């Protein structure tokens, strides 16, 4: 592995020597069998949380609408959509699988967004590095599993509302 | 109240018995009402010494009504090493922001609770790096304020060449926003700001971002909104509303943040 690469105007007859110098810089190679756990440690934060000098403005990350305004809008649409859908089984009974699966999917998305928000709050990427990715992937895996679970519940079972009704009356 | 009654009794004694009036005047000094203040102390010159609470007793009869009067009296008479920021003593500069009795407020506006059986605890603003005693490090807070570009930005010159005209209704929209004195009480009361101070801007800065967003004279709304379009700068607010609860000037940063979210959603 080459360390520093300096662009210097080296005449052709000295090029061999510069290569030898570079190979001298790269000295030892660690052959320890202990695995590298450094990426699982908490990332060191700058003192006082100051990045750059004290007179520079804080630089926000580049705009990403899917994590910003649009995400918030989807969150609220899902939440608002859940409210009338939830009143349907109480009025018309729990036997409508389309309403049932629609509500289950909305509930799943609502919970997914909620847990994602918790992960961003308490396992931020700037402090926990790889654990943030692990948590996000675990959440996505859980959501996909739950999506399959909804499919099973609707097809083999009697739906979510019926399940809650039996649990409540049991 | 007690002083006025004492004055009446002294006057009566003066009329009836002249020689005795002097004795009662001397003895009528009221009993001292001692209030205990427990103040957070830490010295960066001896950083290995853990921060601790130090108790001071103040006679409320000899002290002004506000907490700032009390800590100034402590600094003048008892412990000159007590360190805190203060300037205007009237709640307009925002220097003396600290946590008094569990609430973030300005010391110059916070009345001392006259119940002498209870002690008052004074801490620096929560979850901030402490420079010394009650002085927090607000550098990052000011960096965040600078980042929202809190100045008027226009592409065009005003129509009459002199003033950027604004209607009375548009000016009324700024009421409740421009009065912010940037004391940092609200931001340091927000749990989201505690956990993600580096990336979440906090209610104080966001309220000022809103103040510039809705200023009708400002033409840079596009870039102002774009600066907030990420998961951290604005959207770590979960409407905890500690900010509105603790603002010593009675402003409502939570409402301003909600208005920003509404504007950003329909972008």
């Amino acid at each position: 592995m080459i360390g520093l690469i300096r662009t210097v105007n080296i005449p052709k007859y000295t090029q061999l020597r510069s290569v030898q110098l570079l190979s001298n810089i790269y000295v030892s190679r660690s052959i320890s069998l202990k695995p590298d756990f450094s990426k699982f440690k908490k990332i060191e934060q700058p003192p006082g949380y100051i990045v750059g000098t004290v007179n520079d403005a804080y630089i926000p990350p580049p705009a990403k609408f899917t994590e910003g305004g649009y995400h918030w809008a989807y969150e609220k649409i899902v939440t608002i959509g859940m409210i009338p859908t939830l009143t349907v089984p109480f009025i018309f009974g729990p036997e409508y699988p389309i309403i049932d699966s629609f509500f289950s999917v909305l509930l799943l998305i609502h919970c997914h967004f909620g847990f994602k928000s918790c992960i961003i709050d308490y396992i931020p990427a700037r402090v926990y590095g790889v654990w943030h990715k692990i948590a996000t992937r675990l959440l996505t895996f859980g959501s996909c599993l739950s999506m399959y679970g909804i499919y099973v519940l609707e097809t083999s079972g009697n739906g979510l509302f019926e399940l809650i009704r039996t649990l409540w009356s049991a | 109240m007690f002083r006025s009654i004492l004055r009446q009794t002294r006057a009566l004694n003066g009329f009836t018995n002249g020689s005795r009036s002097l004795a009662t005047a001397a003895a009528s000094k009221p009993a001292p009402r001692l209030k205990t203040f427990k103040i957070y102390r830490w010295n960066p010159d001896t950083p290995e010494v853990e921060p601790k609470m130090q108790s001071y007793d103040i006679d409320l009869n000899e002290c002004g009504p506000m907490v700032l009067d009390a800590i100034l009296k402590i600094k003048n008479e008892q412990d000159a090493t007590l360190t805190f920021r203060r300037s205007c003593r009237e709640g307009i500069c925002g220097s003396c922001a600290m946590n008094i009795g569990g609430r973030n407020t300005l010391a110059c506006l916070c009345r001392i609770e006259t119940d002498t059986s209870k002690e008052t605890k004074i801490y620096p603003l929560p979850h901030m790096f402490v420079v010394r005693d009650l002085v927090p490090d607000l550098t990052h807070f000011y960096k965040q304020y600078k980042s929202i570009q809190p100045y008027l930005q226009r592409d065009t010159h005003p129509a009459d060449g002199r003033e950027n005209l604004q209607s009375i209704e548009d000016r009324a929209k700024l009421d409740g926003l421009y009065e912010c004195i940037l004391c940092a009480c609200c931001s340091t009361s927000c749990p989201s700001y505690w956990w993600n101070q580096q990336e979440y801007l906090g209610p104080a800065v966001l309220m000022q971002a809103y103040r510039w967003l809705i200023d009708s004279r400002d033409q840079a709304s596009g870039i102002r909104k774009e600066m907030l379009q990420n998961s951290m700068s604005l959207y770590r607010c979960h409407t905890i509303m500690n900010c509105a609860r603790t603002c010593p000037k009675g402003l409502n940063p939570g409402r301003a943040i909600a208005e920003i979210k509404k504007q950003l959603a329909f972008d």
Side-chain angles (χ1 to χ4, degrees):
Chain A
M1 248 220 285
I2 302 176
L4 292 164
I5 302 171
R6 256 174 44 210
T7 49
V8 188
N9 212 353
I10 309 169
K12 282 211 171 88
Y13 62 90
T14 55
Q15 266 177 356
L16 249 176
R17 196 154 38 120
S18 61
V19 170
Q20 279 179 340
L21 277 169
L22 282 167
S23 64
N24 279 339
I25 294 168
Y26 182 60
V27 188
S28 64
R29 213 177 56 170
S30 53
I31 39 171
S32 122
L33 289 170
K34 212 164 90 168
D36 181 24
F37 285 123
S38 63
K39 71 171 179 174
F40 292 108
K41 299 203 170 82
K42 272 167 86 160
I43 298 171
E44 182 82 35
Q45 298 300 300
Y49 301 142
I50 306 296
V51 175
T53 73
V54 297
N55 290 320
D56 298 330
Y58 160 73
I59 300 172
K64 229 178 170 189
F65 284 73
T66 49
E67 281 175 23
Y70 296 168
H71 179 95
W72 186 87
Y74 301 149
E75 244 184 65
K76 299 309 164 198
I77 290 170
V78 163
T79 314
I80 291 170
M82 277 165 68
I83 300 171
T85 322
L86 189 57
T87 59
V88 164
F90 291 104
I91 305 170
F92 297 107
E95 303 96 18
Y96 296 96
I98 295 188
I99 305 285
D100 200 283
S101 44
F102 180 66
F103 177 77
S104 304
V105 169
L106 280 186
L107 182 65
L108 175 63
I109 298 173
H110 180 80
C111 293
H112 176 90
F113 283 160
F115 279 116
K116 187 81 186 291
S117 185
C118 288
I119 292 173
I120 299 175
D121 275 349
Y122 300 121
I123 317 176
R126 75 171 185 281
V127 176
Y128 289 100
V130 78
W131 292 106
H132 179 89
K133 263 197 217 133
I134 292 172
T136 323
R137 292 211 177 124
L138 197 62
L139 176 66
T140 322
F141 170 71
S143 300
C144 294
L145 199 63
S146 308
M147 192 68 94
Y148 173 68
I150 293 173
Y151 171 75
V152 167
L153 201 59
E154 300 297 332
T155 49
S156 319
N158 280 329
L160 183 72
F161 294 143
E162 193 60 46
L163 175 70
I164 295 177
R165 201 177 73 96
T166 40
L167 285 171
W168 190 273
S169 355
Chain B
M1 184 179 89
F2 296 116
R3 281 213 190 101
S4 57
I5 294 173
L6 283 164
R7 245 180 264 132
Q8 284 171 358
T9 49
R10 237 185 286 150
L12 279 170
N13 284 337
F15 276 128
T16 53
N17 209 331
S19 59
R20 238 199 265 166
S21 67
L22 285 164
T24 46
S28 63
K29 191 165 180 285
R33 293 183 293 147
L34 288 177
K35 175 105 180 157
T36 310
F37 287 90
K38 285 181 96 161
I39 305 182
Y40 179 97
R41 302 299 309 273
W42 182 72
N43 190 345
D45 297 328
T46 53
E48 68 284 349
V49 176
E50 293 291 310
K52 59 179 181 356
M53 301 300 281
Q54 197 164 346
S55 290
Y56 301 97
D57 287 323
I58 291 280
D59 181 12
L60 293 181
N61 294 328
E62 309 280 321
C63 182
M66 302 300 185
V67 172
L68 182 66
D69 299 318
I71 54 178
L72 277 167
K73 196 169 155 68
I74 293 169
K75 193 175 170 74
N76 289 337
E77 294 171 14
Q78 295 184 35
D79 186 355
T81 61
L82 180 64
T83 311
F84 49 90
R85 288 195 179 115
R86 85 280 176 272
S87 182
C88 70
R89 60 106 178 90
E90 59 184 348
I92 197 65
C93 71
S95 305
C96 57
M98 50 186 78
N99 189 298
I100 300 168
R103 247 191 90 146
N104 286 354
T105 175
L106 300 171
C108 57
L109 289 181
C110 181
R111 276 181 207 282
I112 305 171
E113 271 200 34
T114 45
D115 185 355
T116 49
S117 64
K118 295 203 187 98
E119 56 188 23
T120 299
K121 293 202 181 120
I122 304 179
Y123 281 91
L125 291 175
H127 214 277
M128 301 296 276
F129 288 104
V130 171
V131 175
R132 190 189 181 118
D133 291 349
L134 301 171
V135 176
D137 179 22
L138 293 172
T139 318
H140 190 67
F141 179 75
Y142 298 137
K143 277 166 74 86
Q144 286 171 327
Y145 181 59
K146 190 170 175 170
S147 76
I148 58 158
Q149 298 169 11
Y151 40 84
L152 199 63
Q153 295 176 56
R154 283 185 73 93
D155 307 315
T156 58
H157 285 297
D160 64 351
R162 286 189 196 158
E163 297 170 341
N164 290 309
L165 298 173
Q166 187 176 49
S167 70
I168 296 178
E169 294 82 29
D170 284 333
R171 173 60 184 82
K173 287 186 200 160
L174 298 177
D175 289 336
L177 302 172
Y178 78 91
E179 297 98 329
C180 176
I181 55 176
L182 294 172
C183 62
C185 282
C186 60
S187 287
T188 47
S189 68
C190 174
S192 279
Y193 195 71
W194 295 343
W195 314 140
N196 292 308
Q197 201 170 54
Q198 273 176 276
E199 293 171 285
Y200 176 46
L201 293 178
V205 172
L206 286 170
M207 188 155 93
Q208 292 308 298
Y210 182 58
R211 175 250 176 281
W212 289 106
L213 256 174
I214 54 157
D215 195 335
S216 60
R217 302 166 292 175
D218 182 74
Q219 291 173 347
S221 306
I223 44 168
R224 290 187 195 280
K225 284 194 215 175
E226 211 182 290
M227 264 196 292
L228 301 172
Q229 287 283 11
N230 57 72
S231 66
M232 298 300 280
S233 297
L234 165 71
Y235 289 106
R236 286 310 94 212
C237 171
H238 303 302
T239 61
I240 299 170
M241 296 305 259
N242 246 8
C243 51
R245 195 171 171 212
T246 203
C247 179
K249 305 291 286 176
L251 307 176
N252 194 340
R255 190 190 63 86
I257 296 176
E259 299 287 343
I260 308 177
K261 286 179 183 169
K262 278 196 322 206
Q263 281 208 9
L264 256 60
F266 301 113
D267 228 357

